[in-house]
Amino acid sequence: MDTFLQQLINGLTAGSVYAVVALGYTMVYGIIQLINFAHGEVVMIGAMVAFTVINALAPSGLPPLAVVLIGTGCAVPVCMLVGYSMERLAYRPLRGAPRLAPLITAIGVSIILQHLALMIWSRNIMAFPQIIESRTYFIAGAAITTVQIAILGICVLLMGALALLVYRTPLGTAMRATAQNPQVAGLMGIDVNRVIAATFVIGAALGAVAGVLFGTYYGIAQYTMGSVLGLKAFSAAVLGGIGNIPGAMLGGVLLGLVEALGAGYIGDLTDLCQYGWLSGLIDACAGGGHFILFGSNYQDVFAFVVLILVLVIRPSGLLGERVGERA
Amino acid sequence: MLEVRQLQVRYGGIRAVKGVDLDVGEGELVCLIGANGAGKSSTLKAICRLIASDSSRLSYLGSDIRKSLVHELPRRGLVMVPEGRGIFPQLTVHENLAMGAYARGGGDPAAQYERFPRLKERRHQVAGTLSGGEQQMLAIARALMSEPKLLLLDEPSMGLAPQMVAKIFEIVREIAAQGVTILLVEQNALLALELAHRGYVMESGEISLAGEAKRLLENPRVREAYLGEGAG
Ligand SMILES: Nc1ncnc2c1ncn2[C@@H]1O[C@H](COP(=O)(O)OP(=O)(O)OP(=O)(O)O)[C@@H](O)[C@H]1O
Ligand SMILES: [Mg+2]
């Protein structure tokens, strides 16, 4: 099996989901300079709602695709409502307050949502029912499943649709205008509050679908899944340049690739037995054994290594502009 | 058309506007002149509801707008071109114009391109890369996209070379001739008073003089303070 190609496929799949989640962070940041830490929780709620519906409908004999679609169809409006409510109730009253206030509120909203999910769904892990027969195709020694193909396709579609919305419609232009100068946007007759609410709702809808895809990919969903996924997507947004929409897409895909390739090779690279002078010192190496310092279970670390490197080397991200400190 | 009575604006403890009375009649071109920090911009922003204010009366086309929201007024034809132009720097010229028409659900920029051929040439250029004069044209064109009835202009000549200033004033004259009512705030008192029907002079938050523009031009106090003439 070709490790490189295989990890490329896996990385692209996970990365495209990160990209869709990262859009939610970057759009909100772009328009009100808020890092909405609760966005990961929205993604989690999307997965939980969808899994609940899918599990309930699995024995019904409906075609599997219909079951998944209905599940997603329920998750999206729920998440849109959650996104709208958090903006309306938690962030709007703090508009114009010092930046620390909404930031801490975001962390609070995140904790509240996570505990609400805990109350509703308990701490049990929900499994994706075995209804989809995933087929596996082989290209040049690497495997790709129908689920991976579907995830990639849906994510590309979502990103394309969002780009069209933002760059080709009056609402999208109003969103960009509001991001650049909310006061003047108001003077143009743009209802700034509505545009900001729309940004949250669109980001949440994307997050809901991403949550379903992510859950489907790994086959499980749990009330804690939003934290790590959210932090990774946030890292992706920072990597691309927070506030920058193409940046979030690029950052998500890159992060997925770094993570997958890193996980694919870290075991080999940190197998101390391959370093001649060391292998003599380690008993386990005798007779062709291995002594692996970091296994592929260190996968989650890469996102944060990337985040730290970006913050140190290029805080504005790959596509972001250098912005001075904003008060 | 616009009636303002006892308008007050406070920034924290500072009183920037201290009880201003001001009227603009249909079809008039009225200018508001005064030194830096006199409170002219604050007055305009208060009228547009961009900042909080107190007044005994603030009415536009006969209806009280003291409780109106910023974005509601452009739909009713009350539009401001803010100080410093306020173009959207990362949108193209075309998108900036489209935002001007947002209040009335979109519009055709052809008339504006005809008025400002320079903007037409640059319609796909990002607005932040325009020169200062071009940005001011864009700001005015964008406001006109909403087909205003009352246009508030805050120092449209600010930071422009004399030639461009003359051009901007010419455009203001044209717009007024087409029937748009204008309230013009200007540092350039001479040009503003020559153009306007009536004028108000503002000093540290209060209206100190008001009257026909021609009269103000002849007023010795105005000549001394704003037209750069010695008292002699
Ligand atoms: N956001 C603000 N916070 C505090 N004070 C302000 C604010 N905006 C204006 N001021 C103060 O209010 C007063 C009036 O300001 P304003 O901008 O209305 O003056 P202006 O007549 O437009 O001056 P200029 O000709 O320089 O534009 C000034 O003393 C100014 O310092
Ligand atoms: Mg001013």
Side-chain angles (χ1 to χ4, degrees):
Chain A
M1 196 175 79
D2 188 296
T3 310
F4 182 75
L5 194 61
Q6 186 61 58
Q7 293 307 83
L8 209 64
I9 292 170
N10 297 347
L12 276 178
T13 312
S16 66
V17 179
Y18 295 156
V20 172
V21 181
L23 283 170
Y25 283 97
T26 232
M27 283 165 61
V28 164
Y29 185 88
I31 207 154
I32 53 171
Q33 287 79 51
L34 164 75
I35 296 166
N36 179 17
F37 280 113
H39 186 56
E41 268 31 87
V42 174
V43 176
M44 174 272 293
I45 289 172
M48 299 303 271
V49 170
F51 270 47
T52 309
V53 174
I54 291 170
N55 273 309
L57 292 181
S60 69
L62 281 168
L65 196 61
V67 171
V68 175
L69 280 179
I70 295 172
T72 314
C74 294
V76 170
V78 170
C79 288
M80 287 167 92
L81 188 69
V82 172
Y84 177 79
S85 313
M86 72 168 86
E87 192 276 326
R88 189 71 191 79
L89 302 176
Y91 303 137
R92 194 180 297 181
L94 292 174
R95 195 99 37 84
R99 276 177 84 177
L100 204 55
L103 197 72
I104 290 170
T105 305
I107 296 172
V109 172
S110 166
I111 295 171
I112 291 172
L113 290 179
Q114 213 180 92
H115 282 80
L116 270 178
L118 175 64
M119 282 159 66
I120 298 172
W121 288 289
S122 83
R123 41 183 89 246
N124 297 337
I125 293 177
M126 252 195 277
F128 193 83
Q130 288 298 324
I131 49 172
I132 297 181
E133 265 182 68
S134 184
R135 237 175 269 139
T136 306
Y137 303 93
F138 292 92
I139 8 171
I144 184 166
T145 65
T146 35
V147 170
Q148 285 179 314
I149 295 171
I151 289 176
L152 274 168
I154 292 169
C155 287
V156 169
L157 218 68
L158 287 177
M159 287 190 260
L162 182 81
L164 276 182
L165 173 80
V166 171
Y167 294 105
R168 288 281 179 275
T169 67
L171 174 64
T173 315
M175 283 166 69
R176 286 180 292 140
T178 303
Q180 289 167 41
N181 193 336
Q183 289 205 335
V184 176
L187 288 177
M188 297 294 108
I190 295 168
D191 184 345
V192 169
N193 280 331
R194 262 183 64 186
V195 169
I196 292 172
T199 307
F200 272 85
V201 168
I202 294 165
L206 290 175
V209 180
V212 180
L213 295 177
F214 199 76
T216 311
Y217 190 34
Y218 292 103
I220 52 171
Q222 200 196 1
Y223 80 103
T224 53
M225 69 184 276
S227 333
V228 173
L229 178 56
L231 267 175
K232 283 184 186 175
F234 169 64
S235 309
V238 172
L239 172 60
I242 188 119
N244 184 302
I245 286 175
M249 301 181 184
L250 178 70
V253 171
L254 281 180
L255 190 78
L257 287 175
V258 167
E259 194 179 80
L261 291 173
Y265 288 105
I266 189 171
D268 292 348
L269 289 177
T270 61
D271 181 358
L272 299 184
C273 296
Q274 63 176 311
Y275 303 106
W277 57 276
L278 263 176
S279 61
L281 301 174
I282 300 168
D283 296 339
C285 296
H290 296 285
F291 188 88
I292 293 171
L293 206 54
F294 300 111
S296 60
N297 49 345
Y298 275 81
Q299 163 170 357
D300 286 350
V301 172
F302 290 101
F304 307 114
V305 172
V306 167
L307 178 62
I308 291 165
L309 286 179
V310 173
L311 289 177
V312 170
I313 298 168
R314 196 181 153 86
S316 56
L318 295 173
L319 301 186
E321 286 157 49
R322 256 160 237 279
V323 273
E325 273 294 304
R326 284 189 236 205
Chain B
M1 189 171 210
L2 179 73
E3 268 181 74
V4 180
R5 293 289 175 273
Q6 287 304 308
L7 180 74
Q8 305 214 23
V9 175
R10 281 197 186 80
Y11 298 106
I14 309 165
R15 287 174 72 209
V17 178
K18 309 167 187 165
V20 160
D21 293 351
L22 189 149
D23 288 281
V24 182
E26 179 111 42
E28 268 194 310
L29 200 174
V30 175
C31 72
L32 177 60
I33 58 178
N36 290 117
K40 307 179 297 293
S41 297
S42 302
T43 303
L44 288 198
K45 287 182 194 164
I47 293 170
C48 295
R49 308 280 307 125
L50 203 56
I51 52 174
S53 61
D54 270 329
S55 56
S56 63
R57 184 169 174 76
L58 181 58
S59 92
Y60 167 67
L61 289 176
S63 58
D64 190 352
I65 54 169
R66 282 180 296 179
K67 296 243 159 21
S68 298
L69 300 172
V70 183
H71 67 265
E72 291 168 351
L73 295 172
R75 287 170 210 188
R76 292 159 61 183
L78 173 56
V79 177
M80 171 159 89
V81 177
E83 189 172 34
R85 295 139 202 162
I87 52 146
F88 300 115
Q90 286 156 43
L91 299 189
T92 63
V93 167
H94 200 81
E95 287 172 330
N96 266 278
L97 292 177
M99 286 297 100
Y102 190 88
R104 56 187 186 95
D108 184 4
Q112 299 316 320
Y113 284 145
E114 201 176 314
R115 192 193 301 268
F116 303 101
R118 186 76 73 85
L119 294 181
K120 185 175 186 180
E121 284 166 32
R122 295 170 193 234
R123 62 186 178 282
H124 299 302
Q125 190 171 323
V126 171
T129 61
L130 296 178
S131 77
E134 290 163 352
Q135 290 189 9
Q136 188 63 61
M137 290 183 201
L138 177 59
I140 294 174
R142 184 179 61 178
L144 293 175
M145 285 295 291
S146 65
E147 299 184 341
K149 297 192 180 89
L150 172 58
L151 188 60
L152 312 181
L153 294 169
D154 196 348
E155 295 200 37
S157 72
M158 189 168 69
L160 302 181
Q163 236 183 341
M164 189 53 87
V165 172
K167 186 159 184 184
I168 294 287
F169 271 88
E170 187 48 43
I171 289 164
V172 173
R173 184 198 305 278
E174 270 174 38
I175 297 167
Q178 287 168 5
V180 179
T181 309
I182 295 178
L183 175 56
L184 171 68
V185 163
E186 260 298 328
Q187 287 284 332
N188 198 324
L190 179 63
L191 284 176
L193 286 170
E194 280 177 345
L195 192 65
H197 303 121
R198 287 194 301 116
Y200 292 90
V201 180
M202 200 164 177
E203 272 171 61
S204 40
E206 288 166 309
I207 301 288
S208 58
L209 278 172
E212 272 183 53
K214 279 196 209 78
R215 290 277 155 70
L216 289 177
L217 268 175
E218 290 159 5
N219 185 308
R221 266 177 67 197
V222 174
R223 298 193 77 86
E224 186 188 346
Y226 303 105
L227 305 180
E229 288 184 10

